[in-house]
Amino acid sequence: MSFIKNSGFIFFILVLAVIFAGCTKEKTPEEKMYTVLEKVVTAEKVFEEQQNPLFELEKKEKAIYDQIIELGMKEYDQIVKLSDEALLLVDQRKELMDKETNSIKLSEKEFSKAKKIKDKFEDPSLTKLANEMYETMMKRYEAHEELYTEYNEALKNDKALYEMFKNKNLPLDDLEAQVNKLNETYKRISNANEKFNMLTEQYNDKKLSFYKQAGLNSSN
């Protein structure tokens, strides 16, 4: 290879190196945080998709429960049929709740990357917002874990109740005790859900404030 050609080749490599360096410029902490937060939104799409179907299943099951209560044990065969239908709905609710929870866990995995970014901002107000947002979101994940635990307990109790309905010689006291247990469980679910929703709203508010302060626009 001649010196002239070799010099041209070296120059070409240097130009490529400069271009490549420009293309791989280090992202700012704001850009890194933006990437994390938008991936969290994507991760929770499945969670959002379960909300309406889960609500519809709960409505159907409640309607069946009301029918069973109205029938009385004289319509035993019909009660057994309805109980079996309700048990299938419980299984479907379990499936949707698991999908919802897996989506939240994926969200948490993505959001955990914010921990290394939240204190990297030059603007102290951004650092403050990022830390508040992080703490709120972590509490939100804890609240959903509590909700998931209570909901699973309710599903177990629901199944136990419908199996009881199929017992023709079931003592009334046992049935009443099971219903009371379920009512207490659903009270805890209501409280856990309220807490989760409150923290979700707080997180969204803080995220919006962070985006405005950082000059970012949400694509979701």
Side-chain angles (χ1 to χ4, degrees):
M1 182 182 287
S2 69
F3 177 74
I4 293 174
K5 286 183 178 178
N6 191 44
S7 297
F9 179 73
I10 292 171
F11 177 74
F12 177 69
I13 292 297
L14 287 172
V15 170
L16 281 180
V18 170
I19 293 171
F20 183 72
C23 291
T24 57
K25 182 182 176 183
E26 178 75 12
K27 286 184 177 181
T28 65
E30 288 83 355
E31 290 170 334
K32 288 179 180 178
M33 184 64 85
Y34 176 83
T35 299
V36 168
L37 299 184
E38 293 301 298
K39 283 185 177 180
V40 166
V41 173
T42 301
E44 292 200 12
K45 289 292 185 185
V46 174
F47 162 76
E48 293 174 5
E49 290 167 0
Q50 309 313 308
Q51 301 306 297
N52 284 338
L54 191 55
F55 177 69
E56 290 302 318
L57 286 176
E58 289 170 349
K59 272 175 52 177
K60 286 181 182 178
E61 190 185 319
K62 177 64 167 60
I64 289 175
Y65 172 80
D66 290 341
Q67 277 184 269
I68 291 172
I69 296 301
E70 287 176 11
L71 283 173
M73 292 309 289
K74 290 180 181 179
E75 302 289 340
Y76 177 71
D77 290 342
Q78 181 65 10
I79 286 175
V80 171
K81 180 175 177 294
L82 289 170
S83 295
D84 285 337
E85 289 177 15
L87 286 166
L88 288 175
L89 292 176
V90 172
D91 288 338
Q92 291 172 32
R93 285 168 59 203
K94 167 70 174 168
E95 185 179 337
L96 293 184
M97 191 62 181
D98 285 344
K99 284 183 181 179
E100 173 181 307
T101 301
N102 287 337
S103 178
I104 290 292
K105 287 187 181 300
L106 181 59
S107 164
E108 186 174 4
K109 183 180 178 181
E110 291 293 345
F111 188 76
S112 66
K113 298 170 186 175
K115 188 175 184 179
K116 293 181 179 179
I117 309 169
K118 64 186 180 68
D119 296 312
K120 301 291 185 181
F121 306 103
E122 291 183 10
D123 185 346
S125 62
L126 274 181
T127 300
K128 182 175 181 293
L129 274 171
N131 276 279
E132 289 175 355
M133 184 171 60
Y134 182 82
E135 289 170 11
T136 301
M137 190 58 144
M138 296 311 292
K139 288 178 183 176
R140 176 177 177 265
Y141 291 132
E142 289 175 7
H144 190 274
E145 182 63 29
E146 180 184 348
L147 176 60
Y148 178 69
T149 299
E150 293 293 354
Y151 201 88
N152 270 334
E153 184 65 22
L155 292 174
K156 289 177 186 176
N157 289 332
D158 275 330
K159 292 191 88 165
L161 178 66
Y162 293 119
E163 292 294 348
M164 282 182 171
F165 281 136
K166 291 161 70 175
N167 180 0
K168 203 167 190 177
N169 301 311
L170 176 70
L172 187 58
D173 288 347
D174 290 356
L175 181 61
E176 187 177 346
Q178 184 65 18
V179 169
N180 289 337
K181 184 193 290 187
L182 258 173
N183 287 338
E184 289 300 318
T185 306
Y186 277 107
K187 280 181 186 177
R188 293 196 299 272
I189 288 174
S190 179
N191 291 336
N193 192 54
E194 187 177 337
K195 182 180 178 181
F196 175 78
N197 289 339
M198 178 191 69
L199 288 165
T200 299
E201 187 175 343
Q202 289 178 5
Y203 166 77
N204 286 333
D205 288 344
K206 291 180 188 301
K207 176 185 167 184
L208 182 60
S209 297
F210 177 85
Y211 275 19
K212 286 182 178 179
Q213 184 73 18
L216 300 168
N217 293 311
S218 175
S219 62
N220 296 278

